[in-house]
C-alpha cells in the first residue's frame, strides 16, 4: 500500500443495490484516465440493480446470494476466495450492506475501503440520515475509511459535509449527502490509483500531496476545502 503500482491498480468493487457509488468509481477511472481497472463487481444480491449497469459497461460481474450459505463465515470464505482470484490491490465497498466477518477483514489487511453516509464516528450503522435529524446536528455528511473488524470504524481517508436544512427529511438529506459521496469516492479512487494513500504506525492516513481531505456541498456543487479556503 502507498506504493506506485508497477502495473495498473486493481479494484474489486462490492455492492448490494443500485450502485451509484460504484458508477462514480468507474466513471472516475474512465474520465480521469486513471491507471486503474475495476477487475470485478460483486454483489451479495443477484438482483442488485447496479450489476446490470456494470455488465452494460463491460465489467466482469458476480451476483452471489448470501442466503444460499449456511453461515456468514461460509459466505465470507467463498467471497474471499473469489476476490483472491482477481488479485486486487483494493476492495472498494460501495453500498455493500453486509457486515464482514473479522476473518474476512484480516485476510485483506489495510486494503478494504468503505463509504459510510455519516461523519464518523457519529452515527454508525443504518438509517444514518434519520439518526442525524433525531440528534439535531447542523452538519451531516459522509466518510471514506479503511475497514477494520469494528463496524463503520477505521482510519479516515476523507470526509465531506452538508449543512442540514430546517425542512430536511431523511430523503432530502440523503440526496445531498449522496452528491458529496460520489465526488469524494471519485477523488479517493484517484488517490488510491496513484498510490498516494498510506497509513502510519498510529493507523492514521496520509495522502501524499493532499493538504486536506475534506469536501463541502456548496450552491456551486461539491468543492474540496482546499479550493475554497
Ligand atoms: C450510500 O449512501 C452508501 O454510503 C450507503 O448506502 C448507499 C448506497 O448507495 N452505504 P449506492 O448503492 O452507492 O447508490
Amino acid at each position: 500500500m502507498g506504493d506506485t503500482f508497477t502495473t495498473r491498480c486493481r479494484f474489486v468493487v462490492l455492492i448490494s443495490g443500485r450502485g451509484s457509488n460504484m458508477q462514480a468509481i468507474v466513471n472516475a477511472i474512465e474520465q480521469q484516465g486513471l491507471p486503474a481497472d475495476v477487475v470485478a463487481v460483486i454483489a451479495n444480491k443477484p438482483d442488485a440493480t447496479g450489476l446490470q449497469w456494470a455488465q452494460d459497461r463491460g465489467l466482469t460481474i458476480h451476483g452471489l446470494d448470501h442466503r444460499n450459505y449456511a453461515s456468514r463465515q461460509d459466505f465470507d470464505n467463498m467471497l474471499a476466495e473469489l476476490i483472491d482470484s482477481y488479485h486486487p490491490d483494493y476492495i472498494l465497498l460501495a453500498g455493500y450492506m453486509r457486515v464482514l466477518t473479522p476473518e474476512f477483514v484480516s485476510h485483506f489487511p489495510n486494503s478494504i475501503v468503505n463509504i459510510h453516509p455519516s461523519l464518523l464516528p457519529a452515527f454508525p450503522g443504518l438509517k444514518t440520515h434519520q439518526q442525524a435529524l433525531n440528534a439535531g446536528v447542523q452538519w451531516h455528511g459522509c466518510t471514506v475509511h479503511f475497514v477494520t473488524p469494528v463496524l463503520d470504524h477505521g482510519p479516515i481517508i476523507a470526509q465531506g459535509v452538508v449543512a442540514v436544512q430546517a425542512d430536511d427529511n431523511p430523503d432530502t438529506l440523503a440526496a445531498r449527502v449522496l452528491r458529496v459521496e460520489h465526488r469524494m469516492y471519485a477523488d479517493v479512487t484517484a488517490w488510491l490509483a496513484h498510490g498516494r494513500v498510506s497509513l502510519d504506525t498510529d493507523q492514521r492516513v496520509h495522502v501524499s500531496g493532499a493538504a486536506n481531505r475534506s469536501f463541502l456541498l456548496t450552491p456551486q456543487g461539491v468543492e474540496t476545502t482546499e479550493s475554497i479556503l
Side-chain angles (χ1 to χ4, degrees):
M1 197 179 55
D3 301 334
T4 304
F5 305 104
T6 45
T7 54
R8 293 163 69 81
C9 179
R10 297 170 68 82
F11 295 120
V12 165
V13 180
L14 302 190
I15 65 170
S16 295
R18 77 189 153 185
S20 69
N21 277 293
M22 167 202 66
Q23 294 180 24
I25 292 163
V26 171
N27 289 336
I29 292 171
E30 193 178 293
Q31 288 161 9
Q32 298 180 44
L34 299 177
D37 296 293
V38 171
V39 291
V41 175
I42 304 173
N44 65 312
K45 295 181 177 171
D47 59 352
T49 52
L51 281 182
Q52 187 61 53
W53 185 92
Q55 189 171 42
D56 293 345
R57 289 294 283 254
L59 299 172
T60 300
I61 62 164
H62 295 272
L64 307 166
D65 196 336
H66 63 262
R67 291 169 302 189
N68 292 342
Y69 293 80
S71 67
R72 189 176 293 279
Q73 195 64 64
D74 283 357
F75 179 75
D76 273 8
N77 288 345
M78 182 281 309
L79 185 61
E81 211 171 289
L82 178 62
I83 292 172
D84 276 341
S85 73
Y86 286 100
H87 306 289
D89 297 293
Y90 292 104
I91 299 152
L92 305 181
L93 309 185
Y96 185 69
M97 305 299 284
R98 206 169 150 73
V99 173
L100 297 165
T101 57
E103 291 78 7
F104 182 94
V105 174
S106 53
H107 187 73
F108 300 104
N110 300 331
S111 311
I112 310 173
V113 173
N114 182 41
I115 188 156
H116 181 76
S118 80
L119 292 171
L120 292 174
F123 315 133
L126 298 172
K127 299 195 175 174
T128 54
H129 310 299
Q130 185 68 63
Q131 289 190 59
L133 292 172
N134 291 348
V137 295
Q138 299 302 295
W139 292 97
H140 183 43
C142 46
T143 304
V144 175
H145 65 98
F146 282 109
V147 170
T148 68
V150 182
L151 181 69
D152 296 329
H153 168 272
I156 290 172
I157 302 173
Q159 285 190 310
V161 295
V162 307
V164 177
Q165 311 289 350
D167 59 353
D168 262 328
N169 61 49
D171 292 337
T172 57
L173 193 50
R176 293 205 309 289
V177 170
L178 197 62
R179 292 178 62 193
V180 183
E181 290 186 46
H182 294 162
R183 166 62 194 276
M184 195 165 73
Y185 225 165
D187 280 27
V188 171
T189 298
W191 297 341
L192 294 170
H194 285 123
R196 291 171 57 191
V197 181
S198 58
L199 273 170
D200 67 19
T201 48
D202 293 328
Q203 289 287 290
R204 272 195 318 219
V205 172
H206 297 271
V207 176
S208 62
N212 53 49
R213 297 173 266 125
S214 45
F215 297 76
L216 173 67
L217 182 63
T218 75
Q220 286 72 46
V222 182
E223 315 264 3
T224 61
T225 308
E226 207 162 357
S227 69
I228 52 178
L229 282 183

